[in-house]
Amino acid sequence: MSGFDDSLLNEADETVRIRMVVNGRKVAWEVAPRETLVDCLRDRLELTGTHAGCEMGACGACLVQLDGRAVHSCLIFAVQADGATIDTIEGLSERGAIADLQAEFHRRNALQCGFCTPGMLVNAHELLSQVAQPSREEIRDALSGNYCRCTGYEAIVDAIDAVAKARGTSGGVT
Amino acid sequence: MKARAFSYFRAATIDQALDAHARAGDDARFIAGGQSLVPALSLRLQAPRLLIDITHIDELRGVRREGGHLRIGALTRHCEMLSEPLIAEFAPLLHAAAPFVAHPAIRNRGTFGGSVALADPASEFPAMTLALDAEIEIAGPSGRRRVKADDFFIDLFETSLQPGELITAIYVPLFRADQRFAFDELARRRGDYALVGCGMLATFAGARIDDIRISFFSVGNTPTRVRGVEATLIGSRLDAERVVAAQGALEGDLAPPESDEVPPAMRLHLARVLLGRLLGRLGEGA
């Protein structure tokens, strides 16, 4: 009935087998429960576009999409994501989902060192999927969980704003 | 910045979760959204032997009407407070508070039950359960019980939850046509913890306040109802004189603690300003 195996209390660090779909590809790993999703993505799949920054959920560099919503991959243990569908910056980039955002970030120089950029793009993608035409105030609010220490955000807000308007005019991207 | 090793158990039912916790004793923690727990584990402020994942327990999900209450499942995510039509209609104070809870990616993952269970005195939702006269449904080794929000928050991060108990749902009385609500907070930057925050729910009889519940956060060790202020308002019209009287009563209700960042007098001043603004909005029918 309970399904609980008392041996879990003896061997703390045993590995657990998990499966997920990452960027459209089925993967199965043996992970220790203490391993965070960001570490697994980077170390095991070499998806190093997802950056481990503060590892506290404050900086936003580690954002990925989990079952279609942006989440901090530093605030989830990989075991919790067993069975989930994950899209990292590589997946979003390769299937062209954020091509216009990337082009606009590039065009407006909305990055300097680039460390925060993957998280910024995942977050911008999330925002525009929720609110088609956000105000600049709404864009700033949405970016409140992403730290950028180089740009002062102005160019980033400009880029997101421009993409929202362009998508509105073109009837949206596919 | 890495958690100490632990074992992981994914519970399918409440009974499974409770049973696992009982066997592990004090060395287990329930995890749902994990948006506060994971950082605490990473910093090794907590180092349990066993993590019990309750995210896949169906009974903890869903929002539905139940008699005169809205039953909000403990696993309801903060983002659902914004998107769920039943919340907007029957618990609009929660809908109004939700955009102030952390930032979007945290709201996608964090849960209502988890926030209430943690009882962070700077968090929006625990304080709003007080304003709403909500009841917290708890499951534990000795069965189920319901606790009024007024009796739930005891001290800093301390609630009436006993070891091995978990929150299953929060029951909020349905919002009515004769009620009004207001919410706001003062923070240095959106998404940061508030310097002071407040939510209120008032029942009107014509232009007079028949009943009002006002709850502050970031002002002490627990979310705080200001009963003296409420008493000055009940039975009266919300004219300018009464708002000033209510602001004056705040001093008897709040005793903000010393802190390096915000001296108690400044926090009290901010609370007074916020109270005035919110009562003003309430008077306009906001």
Side-chain angles (χ1 to χ4, degrees):
Chain A
M1 155 70 211
S2 89
F4 182 72
D5 173 3
D6 277 326
S7 72
L8 287 176
L9 298 174
N10 306 327
E11 295 284 331
D13 208 3
E14 92 284 17
T15 57
V16 177
R17 188 162 182 80
I18 62 167
R19 299 155 68 92
M20 52 183 91
V21 178
V22 180
N23 297 335
R25 195 179 122 210
K26 284 185 187 172
V27 295
W29 300 322
E30 297 280 338
V31 298
R34 66 191 288 241
E35 286 181 69
T36 55
L37 181 60
V38 62
D39 288 343
C40 285
L41 291 170
R42 291 178 57 85
D43 299 345
R44 291 162 188 268
L45 291 183
E46 296 185 359
L47 292 169
T48 52
T50 303
H51 292 162
C54 67
E55 298 190 72
M56 299 285 298
C59 79
C62 72
L63 290 182
V64 299
Q65 283 205 317
L66 185 146
D67 292 333
R69 296 301 294 260
V71 301
H72 295 271
S73 58
C74 74
L75 292 188
I76 302 173
F77 294 114
V79 280
Q80 292 177 275
D82 181 25
T85 296
I86 310 284
D87 284 297
T88 70
I89 190 69
E90 289 89 348
L92 294 173
S93 179
E94 278 158 24
R95 68 180 160 86
I98 53 170
D100 52 354
L101 278 165
Q102 287 171 305
E104 202 59 34
F105 267 59
H106 185 234
R107 198 170 81 77
R108 291 175 182 268
N109 221 11
L111 64 151
Q112 285 184 34
C113 86
F115 188 82
C116 72
T117 308
M120 289 285 180
L121 288 167
V122 172
N123 199 3
H125 180 54
E126 167 96 356
L127 171 67
L128 296 184
S129 69
Q130 305 284 318
V131 189
Q133 297 293 322
S135 65
R136 290 183 71 87
E137 186 68 14
E138 286 175 303
I139 294 170
R140 288 191 167 278
D141 258 7
L143 292 179
S144 68
N146 290 72
Y147 280 179
C148 168
R149 293 306 189 206
C150 304
T151 70
Y153 297 91
E154 213 53 40
I156 297 170
V157 175
D158 288 345
I160 297 170
D161 185 40
V163 169
K165 288 184 173 127
R167 286 186 186 182
T169 322
S170 69
V173 291
T174 51
Chain B
M1 295 299 286
K2 301 292 178 194
R4 209 176 71 183
F6 55 82
S7 291
Y8 172 87
F9 174 65
R10 180 182 281 194
T13 65
I14 292 174
D15 285 346
Q16 274 188 6
L18 297 177
D19 174 64
H21 200 294
R23 292 200 222 177
D26 284 347
D27 255 359
R29 291 287 178 281
F30 296 118
I31 188 165
Q35 301 299 281
S36 299
L37 182 57
V38 175
L41 295 173
S42 295
L43 290 168
R44 303 206 179 186
L45 298 172
Q46 298 194 32
R49 265 196 305 168
L50 176 70
L51 219 53
I52 302 164
D53 189 346
I54 58 171
T55 330
H56 298 265
I57 300 176
D58 285 340
E59 203 189 322
L60 302 180
R61 294 184 181 287
V63 179
R64 61 172 188 266
R65 283 177 72 165
E66 228 179 80
H69 286 85
L70 197 63
R71 180 193 189 274
I72 304 173
L75 290 177
T76 303
R77 299 196 190 277
H78 301 331
C79 60
E80 293 176 86
M81 293 292 176
L82 290 164
S83 63
E84 169 58 63
L86 286 172
I87 302 263
E89 185 175 356
F90 295 115
L93 182 58
L94 295 177
H95 186 262
F100 294 87
V101 179
H103 39 258
I106 298 282
R107 294 201 290 268
N108 282 344
R109 194 84 193 141
T111 66
F112 188 40
S115 174
V116 174
L118 181 64
D120 188 325
S123 284
E124 290 82 1
F125 286 145
M128 293 312 100
T129 63
L130 277 179
L132 289 165
D133 197 15
E135 285 176 44
I136 292 117
E137 184 185 64
I138 295 165
S142 47
R144 304 280 174 105
R145 62 197 174 99
R146 267 162 84 156
V147 179
K148 287 264 192 193
D150 279 324
D151 302 320
F152 184 75
F153 302 102
I154 293 172
D155 206 338
L156 190 63
F157 297 111
E158 187 186 345
T159 68
S160 60
L161 277 174
Q162 297 301 305
E165 287 189 325
L166 59 85
I167 295 179
T168 49
I170 288 106
Y171 288 78
V172 178
L174 300 178
F175 184 69
R176 302 192 313 262
D178 59 350
Q179 292 184 316
R180 296 179 200 170
F181 67 94
F183 177 93
D184 209 348
E185 67 180 44
L186 302 172
R188 291 203 167 93
R189 187 186 67 130
R190 176 64 72 94
D192 283 357
Y193 282 115
L195 298 170
V196 176
C198 179
M200 55 182 67
L201 179 72
T203 307
F204 281 78
R208 287 183 193 282
I209 294 179
D210 204 30
D211 188 31
I212 187 164
R213 296 174 65 97
I214 304 175
S215 180
F216 276 86
F217 51 99
S218 283
V219 292
N221 279 357
T222 61
T224 309
R225 252 184 90 187
V226 287
R227 290 167 192 272
V229 173
E230 291 171 4
T232 64
L233 292 165
I234 288 172
S236 72
R237 288 167 196 276
L238 258 183
D239 52 31
E241 201 180 322
R242 187 63 64 165
V243 171
V244 171
Q247 287 174 307
L250 204 53
E251 212 153 332
D253 284 332
L254 296 183
E258 277 294 343
S259 88
D260 294 341
E261 257 186 274
V262 189
M266 177 179 162
R267 214 183 282 273
L268 198 58
H269 170 74
L270 293 175
R272 218 177 278 128
V273 169
L274 193 57
L275 180 67
R277 281 186 199 169
L278 292 182
L279 289 175
R281 285 189 216 164
L282 215 57
E284 292 158 12

